[in-house]
Amino acid sequence: MKIISCPLELKEYLKGENNSTSFQGNRTIGFVPTMGALHQGHISLIKKAKEQNELVVVSIFLNPTQFLKGEDLDKYPKRDEADKQICKLSGVDILFFPHVADMYTNDEVTLCAPKVRGYVLEGNSRPSHFNGVLTVVMKLLNIVTPTRAYFGKKDAQQLNLISLMVKQLFMSTQIIPVDTVRESDGLALSSRNAYLSPNDREEALKISSSLRQASAMVVKNILDSKEIIKEMRNTLGDLEVFYVEVLNRDFEQLSHVEIGNTIILVEVRVGTTRLLDNIWL
Amino acid sequence: MKIISCPLELKEYLKGENNSTSFQGNRTIGFVPTMGALHQGHISLIKKAKEQNELVVVSIFLNPTQFLKGEDLDKYPKRDEADKQICKLSGVDILFFPHVADMYTNDEVTLCAPKVRGYVLEGNSRPSHFNGVLTVVMKLLNIVTPTRAYFGKKDAQQLNLISLMVKQLFMSTQIIPVDTVRESDGLALSSRNAYLSPNDREEALKISSSLRQASAMVVKNILDSKEIIKEMRNTLGDLEVFYVEVLNRDFEQLSHVEIGNTIILVEVRVGTTRLLDNIWL
């Protein structure tokens, strides 16, 4: 596994790789952008990238611009050496490990999230968060020029906005959504689970419970969003709920679940930790 | 000359063209984005693109998002048939002629100009102008994937911000600045010159006069910015002056002209028309 920290060195190195129509057999590139603290969720993204591409690039970059003031940038888990080992063992070809100063200068051109879809749900409680996400993803995609880039469905709004960016700005990469990986008891994997106390960990199970409940209601043909949300909020109990929403795949509110075109999303605070989860129905 | 209006059709058509390192001889692409109403300034961009590339693409797109409310979007000169002829006669290979609805949808991800450099000079009097410019240029560059894109030095701040965008977001296109083309009496060519009455046309000569004067002062080793600006404002007389500035190539103010690293910029209103011009020293 090659480790590169300089963006322009990586860009030069990969130049000409991604041209899958070429007779030379230039290779398809699969790309998995991460903020480190890798877990099975990331490994499933890497696995998918390996299945679908000839060359796999993973980036580890704790992107400061997507954290608001007072958020957990400073305490975000950092496990650089373990992350490198995981990448190596997962068969990653190139690990991109840039420094902040390689990625940002002063007074920059930035990406701005859509005025509506960028400021609902997580974007409502974290107003400039998605501007930071879109800016760093744009930079990373332009450096790596991947054929395909892999994002988890757990961060559904992020996935939606990145897909919009690629489509609206006519970018060349295909965005591949990958299913959420869960602990055996249902908790969605997240680097932020490391913040949870044993008691928080127990409380956090209410999130996946509420989603399983929604799913069970839909199976019983209870499709009314209000009913579903009410039951879910009951299950979430006294957790601080940022939102429970029933949306279509374009992130518009649905009065009734439409099978094959629905995402039900939850964000709550458990202890001091924000956790989000969702199911796609 | 091929004329294409669908962005994705053009993107597909050009796919694999721009890979100059390939043994197959994939062609280099030179790109000249325009808003139509083509004049000798545009033709000089096309000429340069033809010299340096194997395939030349010109776009004609009157981009609504770079006009503020109340500006001249509706009366901007439109000469579609003449423009097509000019492109054909200039040896353009592909003319990209999209409709607004092909380029924009609702609730979009946009580019935002840098907080400092995007809001001085023209950005000061036209606050969201450069967001619109950067967004459309990003779209166009992603559709055409040119090896090189050509922009006139006359719109110096636009050129500066586009170059910053390409560098900061790690885009692959090389931005090529091209010298301003002038009428024999000195007036810089601009599609907006069409708005000038005969009297305005006469008054507008003060702009290039003031720049020639600045240049003459520098030749005489008068390098103090304040002195130069004062003389220039005298020459501009009673024209409404938006700014006269002595900047370095990074668009930072200079107290003294630095030969090889200076741009002197003027923007004025002549009649109802905003005109800008500059010299690079």
Side-chain angles (χ1 to χ4, degrees):
Chain A
M1 183 177 74
K2 203 173 165 67
I3 302 182
I4 296 180
S5 69
C6 170
L8 292 178
E9 183 190 338
L10 179 60
K11 192 172 166 75
E12 189 60 34
Y13 183 84
L14 291 172
K15 203 176 174 179
E17 284 286 1
N18 179 8
N19 182 17
S20 54
T21 57
S22 157
F23 296 121
Q24 299 164 260
N26 284 337
R27 289 179 288 181
T28 51
I29 302 174
F31 177 46
V32 180
T34 83
M35 299 214 297
L38 302 183
H39 51 61
Q40 287 295 332
H42 299 106
I43 293 170
S44 81
L45 300 174
I46 295 171
K47 209 175 145 191
K48 192 101 169 191
K50 279 194 71 73
E51 280 166 27
Q52 299 185 331
N53 304 276
E54 291 155 284
L55 192 79
V56 171
V57 181
V58 170
S59 66
I60 295 182
F61 180 60
L62 186 53
N63 174 41
T65 66
Q66 70 189 72
F67 290 81
L68 278 70
K69 266 191 189 128
E71 287 188 348
D72 56 342
L73 176 60
D74 295 334
K75 65 166 188 168
Y76 198 88
K78 253 180 136 48
R79 295 196 293 266
D80 292 355
E81 284 315 309
D83 288 345
K84 280 180 199 170
Q85 286 307 319
I86 288 171
C87 287
K88 210 166 166 182
L89 292 170
S90 306
V92 170
D93 299 294
I94 300 172
L95 178 58
F96 179 45
F97 218 128
H99 303 286
V100 173
D102 298 325
M103 293 293 285
Y104 291 104
T105 59
N106 283 327
D107 198 32
E108 290 220 327
V109 174
T110 57
L111 275 289
C112 292
K115 295 276 178 285
V116 179
R117 280 174 285 199
Y119 292 88
V120 293
L121 306 175
E122 206 183 354
N124 181 39
S125 38
R126 307 176 71 189
S128 65
H129 169 64
F130 287 118
N131 298 345
V133 170
L134 294 175
T135 301
V136 80
V137 170
M138 169 65 85
K139 288 182 190 235
L140 290 168
L141 293 180
N142 286 340
I143 293 165
V144 177
T145 63
T147 318
R148 301 177 188 88
Y150 297 80
F151 294 88
K153 286 183 178 178
K154 189 178 79 69
D155 296 304
Q157 192 179 9
Q158 167 178 287
L159 173 60
N160 175 255
L161 292 173
I162 291 168
S163 301
L164 281 180
M165 172 174 81
V166 165
K167 191 176 172 195
Q168 293 172 342
L169 299 181
F170 301 101
M171 298 168 70
S172 300
T173 297
Q174 198 184 342
I175 301 300
I176 311 283
V178 179
D179 287 341
T180 302
V181 177
R182 298 177 181 282
E183 303 281 7
S184 57
D185 59 8
L187 183 69
L189 294 193
S190 161
S191 304
R192 290 192 169 100
N193 291 351
Y195 300 153
L196 301 173
S197 70
N199 184 52
D200 290 345
R201 179 72 183 65
E202 199 62 38
E203 285 290 297
L205 290 179
K206 290 177 181 169
I207 305 167
S208 49
S209 293
S210 75
L211 290 167
R212 272 199 310 277
Q213 185 181 28
S215 179
M217 290 174 80
V218 170
V219 168
K220 285 188 225 157
N221 211 32
I222 305 170
L223 303 176
D224 184 84
S225 300
K226 275 187 193 156
E227 267 188 79
I228 292 170
I229 291 169
K230 194 180 151 203
E231 285 304 313
M232 288 178 69
R233 283 185 172 266
N234 270 341
T235 302
L236 292 168
D238 52 5
L239 290 179
E240 181 188 351
V241 177
F242 293 106
Y243 55 80
V244 179
E245 293 278 2
V246 178
L247 305 180
N248 67 17
R249 301 282 164 91
D250 290 325
F251 270 67
E252 295 158 338
Q253 283 191 326
L254 288 177
S255 62
H256 289 79
V257 168
E258 296 170 5
I259 304 292
N261 186 31
T262 300
I263 313 178
I264 302 182
L265 305 99
V266 184
E267 186 172 5
V268 298
R269 197 191 317 264
V270 179
T272 56
T273 306
R274 305 171 73 100
L275 293 176
L276 44 79
D277 200 352
N278 57 69
I279 43 166
W280 299 45
L281 295 169
Chain B
M1 184 176 75
K2 202 173 165 69
I3 302 181
I4 297 180
S5 70
C6 170
L8 292 178
E9 183 190 339
L10 179 60
K11 191 171 167 72
E12 190 59 34
Y13 183 83
L14 292 171
K15 202 175 174 179
E17 284 287 0
N18 179 9
N19 181 18
S20 54
T21 56
S22 157
F23 296 119
Q24 298 164 259
N26 284 339
R27 289 178 289 181
T28 51
I29 302 173
F31 177 47
V32 180
T34 82
M35 299 214 297
L38 304 183
H39 51 62
Q40 286 295 332
H42 298 107
I43 293 170
S44 80
L45 300 174
I46 295 171
K47 208 173 147 193
K48 192 99 170 192
K50 279 194 72 72
E51 280 166 27
Q52 300 184 332
N53 303 276
E54 290 154 282
L55 191 80
V56 171
V57 181
V58 170
S59 65
I60 295 182
F61 180 60
L62 186 54
N63 174 41
T65 67
Q66 69 190 72
F67 290 80
L68 277 69
K69 267 194 187 120
E71 286 188 350
D72 56 342
L73 175 61
D74 294 333
K75 65 167 188 168
Y76 198 88
K78 252 177 138 44
R79 295 196 292 267
D80 292 354
E81 285 314 309
D83 289 345
K84 280 181 199 171
Q85 287 306 319
I86 289 171
C87 288
K88 209 166 167 182
L89 293 170
S90 306
V92 170
D93 298 292
I94 300 171
L95 177 58
F96 179 44
F97 217 126
H99 303 284
V100 173
D102 299 325
M103 294 292 285
Y104 292 103
T105 58
N106 284 327
D107 199 32
E108 290 221 326
V109 174
T110 57
L111 275 289
C112 292
K115 295 274 178 289
V116 179
R117 282 174 284 198
Y119 292 87
V120 294
L121 307 175
E122 205 182 356
N124 180 42
S125 39
R126 307 178 71 190
S128 66
H129 169 65
F130 287 118
N131 298 345
V133 170
L134 294 175
T135 300
V136 80
V137 170
M138 169 65 83
K139 288 181 190 237
L140 290 168
L141 293 180
N142 285 341
I143 293 165
V144 177
T145 63
T147 319
R148 302 178 188 87
Y150 297 80
F151 294 89
K153 287 183 177 177
K154 188 177 80 68
D155 297 305
Q157 191 178 10
Q158 167 178 288
L159 172 61
N160 175 256
L161 293 173
I162 291 168
S163 301
L164 280 180
M165 173 174 79
V166 165
K167 191 175 172 198
Q168 293 172 342
L169 299 181
F170 301 101
M171 297 168 71
S172 300
T173 297
Q174 198 185 341
I175 301 299
I176 311 282
V178 179
D179 287 341
T180 301
V181 177
R182 297 176 182 283
E183 304 279 8
S184 57
D185 59 10
L187 182 69
L189 294 193
S190 163
S191 303
R192 289 192 169 99
N193 290 352
Y195 300 154
L196 300 173
S197 69
N199 184 50
D200 290 345
R201 179 71 184 70
E202 199 61 39
E203 284 290 297
L205 290 179
K206 291 177 181 169
I207 305 167
S208 50
S209 294
S210 74
L211 290 168
R212 274 200 308 277
Q213 183 181 30
S215 179
M217 289 174 81
V218 170
V219 168
K220 284 189 224 155
N221 212 32
I222 305 170
L223 303 178
D224 184 86
S225 299
K226 277 187 193 156
E227 267 188 79
I228 292 169
I229 290 169
K230 194 181 151 204
E231 285 304 313
M232 288 178 69
R233 283 185 173 267
N234 270 342
T235 302
L236 292 168
D238 52 5
L239 291 179
E240 181 188 351
V241 177
F242 294 105
Y243 55 80
V244 180
E245 292 277 1
V246 178
L247 306 180
N248 67 17
R249 301 282 164 94
D250 290 324
F251 270 68
E252 296 158 337
Q253 282 192 326
L254 289 176
S255 63
H256 290 79
V257 168
E258 295 171 5
I259 304 292
N261 187 32
T262 299
I263 313 178
I264 302 181
L265 305 99
V266 185
E267 186 172 4
V268 298
R269 196 189 319 262
V270 180
T272 57
T273 306
R274 305 171 74 99
L275 293 175
L276 43 79
D277 199 353
N278 57 69
I279 43 166
W280 299 46
L281 295 170

